[in-house]
Each structure stands twice: as C-alpha cells, then as structure tokens.
Amino acid sequence: MRRACFFMEAAGACSGSLYTMDFDFNRNGADDVSNHYSSIGFRIATDDDIEALVDQHILQGAGREVKTPDSHYVEYLLPGGEQLTLPFDEQGRIIDLHPHYRGQGRMTARLEKVLTRDQLPLELSYFAWANPKAGLVGEEARGDYPFLFEVPEYGPMRRLESLPQTVSVQIAAFAYELSCYANEAEYQAANDPDMPMAVESFIPTGLFADPDGGGEPRAEAMLSGRVLACERKTNAYSGQDYWALLVKTLGGTIDVVSAPQTVEGHPQVGGICKGVFWLSGQFVSD
C-alpha cells in the first residue's frame, strides 16, 4: 500500500504547529479510482491531492478540532454525510485520514476485543459480535456472527471501562465490489451455485487471515441484503458522485457506499445488493 508522509505548517484550526502526516491514502491497495475515498466522492490519489484537501482546506478552518482528555482529532463533515477524521498521536502527528459515511444504519454489537496495528498502535479495530443475545453472559451471549470494524479515532476505546460491552454502532461499508439486482429472483439467478448466499447474509472475510502466513485480521466482509433506501449523491467538496444505500442484512442495517464505476447493475429500493466491503464504524446513542 502506498503511504503519504510529509511535513506541513498547519494553519486554521491547528495554527502554528508542524505536523507529520503518515497514513494509508489508498487503503485497499487498488488504483485511485476504487479507493475508499472515492466511495464517498473524494478524489485522493496523490500527495498533492492530500495536501490540497487537508492543508489548504480542512486545516484552514473547514474542519472541526476536538480535544478531550481521551483524544485529539480534526473532523471534517459534509452535509451529505461524508466524513473525514484526522486523529493526532501524543506527539501531535496526524496518523490517519479516516473516511466514514454517516448514515441511518444501526446494529447492536457486543465488543469483545480491541485490535491495534503494530506500526500504528492508535489505529484501532474492534472485534465484535453482531446482534448479541440479550440476558445471557459469556460465550452464550454471542450473536449472529463475529466481525471486525475500524473506528475514526481512538477516544471511544479509552472511554470504555471494560470489555465485553454491548453498544449500538453505525457501520459504513465501503465497496470494493457491488452488484445490484432488481428483485430476489434476479439475485437468485445470479447466485453462485458453488457458494450460494442468502438474500440477507454476512461473511466476515477479513477474519479468515492466515496468521502463520503473516496475515492480519482486516475490517472486511462479503455481504448481501435488501435495499431499503438509495441515492446517487454528490460530494459538496469535489463535485464527484457516489452511491449511498441503506441495506438490511443479517444482524442489522448497514450504510453501503460506492463509487459509481464500482457498481454493477442499478441500485433501487426493494432490490437486492451483494458485494465485498471495508467496514468503518461509529458508536451511536440512538
């Protein structure tokens, strides 16, 4: 994966400080057309793109700086729900440009473990179970399936008193691949006979990494579900379009986002969608 690393004098919200930026701006390792940022309408393919967005825009006042006893980050939220979060480490270095989409999806999850990267210990993922069983304890409380999701910043982890803990999360699924079908019959006709997937299904493919081969668990999944809402939206910063779908899948509802060129078929309410995704999540109180 390519990474961006440069110094910049940050003005605006973080005026007068010198920051190092070191983050993965092409999270899925693919080309600049299909990276996670384009799934919410941002075109970020080069260091120049990052500098124009971050140094000349977000840190010039377009972003909202948040400092708490637990964390320090700048959040950039557009009216359409497109969100970028820039968390700082203890040395004041920007360690990520985390994309997220704020939608209406909701899932109840039982958080069991926090995972960190060896090189970037403040970039966090949560190991969780979807739709846990109420009133039970221990392994009996585990739900429909385990999965992993990344979070924009590390503050919520520091505020958790203990694990396991049951929370409400909003999951945004950023498409690597996305196929859309008009109805269930069309979906079933295209289903792989060697590995058929139910209309509402979720396979946590990121948990299948081989630790003996040096693989690490990833916040990725293959899922299918019913389209409850969909809209072709326009990113107000870039003018680029993207698709946003509210999808009912096994375990809850999820917000699916995708660049138009990644979509096969036409998204429509009442249809079925299926794809492979990277998962970002935020805790919600409603």
Side-chain angles (χ1 to χ4, degrees), residues 210-227:
D210 178 12
D212 295 332
E216 294 184 355
R218 299 171 66 91
E220 295 178 349
M222 177 185 293
L223 66 89
S224 59
R226 304 178 189 275
V227 180

Side-chain angles (χ1 to χ4, degrees), residues 70 136 261 273:
D70 304 303
L136 299 178
Q261 58 268 28
C273 73

Side-chain angles (χ1 to χ4, degrees), residues 111 114 126 155-163 165 167 283:
L111 307 179
V114 177
Y126 285 97
M157 181 272 294
R158 291 181 168 176
R159 288 188 287 272
L160 286 175
E161 294 182 358
S162 63
L163 293 176
Q165 189 166 147
V167 298
F283 300 158

Side-chain angles (χ1 to χ4, degrees), residues 119-130:
Q119 295 175 333
L120 295 169
L122 292 179
E123 289 195 11
L124 305 178
S125 301
Y126 285 97
F127 176 85
W129 282 81

